[in-house]
Amino acid sequence: MRESRRRTLRAQEGEVVARAAERARDVLQDSEHARRLLRMMLLIRRFEERAEEQYTRARIGGYCHLAIGEEAANVGSIDCLEADDYLFVSYRDHAAALAVGSSPEAVMAELFGKETGVAGGYGGSMHLLDVERRFLGGWGIVGGHLPIAVGAALAIDYQDGPGAVLCQFGDGATNIGAFHEALNLAAIWHLPIVFQVINNLYGMGTSVKQASAEPELFKRACAYRMHGERVDGNDVLAVRDATGRLLARAREESEPALLETTTYRLRGHSVADAGKVYRTAEEIASWRERDPITRYVEILRERDLLDDEELDTMRKQVADEVSEAIREAAAAPTPDPDELYENVYGDEQWRDQFARMNTAAPYGERRETRSWQR
Ligand SMILES: Cc1ncc(C[n+]2csc(CCOP(=O)(O)OP(=O)(O)O)c2C)c(N)n1
Ligand SMILES: [Mg+2]
């Protein structure tokens, strides 16, 4: 960013922070907005429960990581994105796609590997994307998307454009080399990016305490003289307040930040993991009591922004919406295996070369692909 613009923005900093805090408080004053946050969390919860069920029916292939219990960390932050902002997330990405506005039909269809999916059936559960909404994935390599997100922030800065980047990742990613490279570059180049670590206390079966020399992950920001902050990731309003403030600062002052949102995945690492071997029943029960949806419902009730009838209606609506998404995804066509190499290379000549090859013939993948698709 040009020095003159940075100076002007710094002068406005106090005003920017005050405005952001005001916006966060406004949510409970705007009953429609307040209820929209709850509705999205309910939709995600229902979507994930049904995705789990569909996986056991073999309608979803490959991996499938659910965000049950992490809804507030996703919805509170993604709600702060504005039209010019970009979003990057890890493979636990269904909630992010829904929160950014992708339709449940298109997200479910992607999980089913169908042509109508958000990635045309090429990506599956871990590689959702919605370019129109500036949601640039869904990434399967732990920490692999952080440098890419920094590249997007560099592009915004280089072109003197509006907007910022929100990059979400798990606690496990903070021990990957790319995390340190990404934070270092973002700090020395003053890039407009918020790194949000969704600390759910475990990377597969390894706890943060076992894996991290500094388990208070937000403190890692100080190694890069970057602002670091931790909030309760099961409190949707706290997440929204912090993300709103830090994104505003990124957009308007072009400064990065590391935001740690502490939460808990109520299911196992993936659908194939029961999640009970490395965690005690007491620990899981204690986090159930801090369920982000129950807590937010209580806040809305206390403020007279929601009654039992409205809650029931909302639950029923999202359940119907997800059922419809499943019906549509099941009925949607599967992509033709001969199109497997399309979009791999932009250059026509390489596409022609792949068109002459027999798709994945040495490994029999053509047959495998067909056998699990219904
Ligand atoms: C570079 C890399 N190493 C290992 C893996 C295998 N792996 C997949 S998920 C995962 C755990 C990551 O945990 P965390 O970052 O805390 O995210 P969470 O699953 O808790 O959302 C690992 C080790 C991978 N995908 N990429
Ligand atoms: Mg984790």
Side-chain angles (χ1 to χ4, degrees):
M1 168 180 286
R2 275 177 222 104
E3 199 46 44
S4 59
R5 185 174 164 220
R6 189 167 288 128
R7 268 201 305 272
T8 320
L9 294 176
R10 281 220 181 93
Q12 297 167 349
E13 182 188 1
E15 203 186 314
V16 167
V17 172
R19 271 208 312 273
E22 209 172 287
R23 273 203 298 268
R25 270 198 306 274
D26 276 354
V27 177
L28 290 180
Q29 262 138 58
D30 177 350
S31 59
E32 213 172 288
H33 192 162
R35 280 199 287 254
R36 210 162 54 233
L37 294 180
L38 175 64
R39 194 181 190 285
M40 184 52 75
M41 291 205 282
L42 290 171
L43 174 68
I44 292 168
R45 178 70 57 99
R46 189 63 185 167
F47 184 97
E48 295 289 60
E49 287 166 352
R50 296 295 312 271
E52 185 176 37
E53 171 205 291
Q54 296 300 305
Y55 190 88
T56 61
R57 292 186 57 185
R59 279 175 155 176
I60 298 171
Y63 293 96
C64 186
H65 307 86
L66 308 173
I68 294 179
E70 303 183 11
E71 293 89 349
N74 279 288
V75 172
S77 55
I78 292 170
D79 188 60
C80 301
L81 292 176
E82 294 181 356
D84 294 311
D85 298 336
Y86 290 90
L87 174 66
F88 292 78
V89 307
S90 75
Y91 46 83
R92 200 177 295 287
D93 57 353
H94 312 167
L98 295 170
V100 90
S102 307
S103 76
E105 290 80 12
V107 179
M108 192 62 83
E110 190 58 44
L111 268 52
F112 280 33
K114 297 298 185 78
E115 230 173 65
T116 51
V118 285
Y122 283 81
S125 161
M126 297 203 287
H127 304 108
L128 304 177
L129 91 160
D130 193 332
V131 176
E132 215 175 287
R133 293 183 171 82
R134 301 192 171 212
F135 168 42
L136 301 189
W139 297 81
I141 302 299
V142 173
H145 60 296
L146 275 74
I148 302 170
V150 167
L154 175 62
I156 292 174
D157 185 58
Y158 193 72
Q159 293 162 0
D160 227 348
V165 176
L166 175 64
C167 178
Q168 298 183 335
F169 46 90
D171 41 273
T174 63
N175 291 325
I176 295 278
F179 167 83
H180 302 278
E181 295 177 28
L183 265 72
N184 189 54
L185 278 182
I188 57 170
W189 289 340
H190 300 278
L191 298 180
I193 180 164
V194 175
F195 298 99
Q196 183 191 352
V197 48
I198 300 191
N199 179 0
N200 58 13
L201 311 192
Y202 293 88
M204 299 184 90
T206 309
S207 73
V208 171
K209 279 192 187 133
Q210 280 175 300
S212 300
E214 174 48 270
E216 293 189 80
L217 302 177
F218 72 100
K219 290 186 178 167
R220 296 195 174 195
C222 73
Y224 307 100
R225 296 194 174 179
M226 186 186 286
H227 175 83
E229 186 171 332
R230 174 188 259 184
V231 294
D232 180 348
N234 277 11
D235 177 346
V236 68
L237 297 176
V239 174
R240 194 180 176 282
D241 175 26
T243 319
R245 233 180 329 102
L246 299 179
L247 273 176
R249 185 170 162 274
R251 279 182 216 110
E252 299 175 36
E253 205 203 336
S254 198
E255 285 297 346
L258 174 64
L259 174 65
E260 179 183 358
T261 47
T262 51
T263 182
Y264 198 77
R265 59 169 158 72
L266 292 170
R267 291 292 200 275
H269 166 72
S270 70
V271 175
D273 164 36
K276 291 179 180 160
V277 176
Y278 50 89
R279 315 188 295 185
T280 63
E282 292 75 36
E283 181 182 297
I284 299 171
S286 77
W287 280 92
R288 274 196 193 288
E289 280 170 23
R290 283 179 262 175
D291 186 308
I293 297 182
T294 317
R295 282 175 60 184
Y296 189 48
V297 164
E298 276 165 20
I299 293 174
L300 294 182
R301 275 205 182 113
E302 273 167 25
R303 308 252 178 159
D304 280 333
L305 293 170
L306 184 81
D307 59 32
D308 288 347
E309 204 185 318
E310 282 168 320
L311 180 60
D312 280 352
T313 310
M314 236 187 244
R315 283 193 197 282
K316 191 174 176 323
Q317 280 173 350
V318 298
D320 289 348
E321 220 176 301
V322 176
S323 293
E324 184 54 29
I326 291 172
R327 258 194 303 278
E328 284 188 28
T334 50
D336 185 339
D338 289 333
E339 288 165 14
L340 191 62
Y341 293 107
E342 268 184 30
N343 306 317
V344 175
Y345 290 97
D347 192 318
E348 283 294 324
Q349 63 165 315
W350 302 118
R351 225 172 43 211
D352 287 351
Q353 183 187 330
F354 277 117
R356 288 197 299 276
M357 289 169 70
N358 192 2
T359 311
Y363 307 101
E365 286 172 2
R366 172 186 294 262
R367 204 181 59 241
E368 287 301 314
T369 306
R370 289 220 162 112
S371 67
W372 64 261
Q373 283 177 339
R374 310 249 184 283

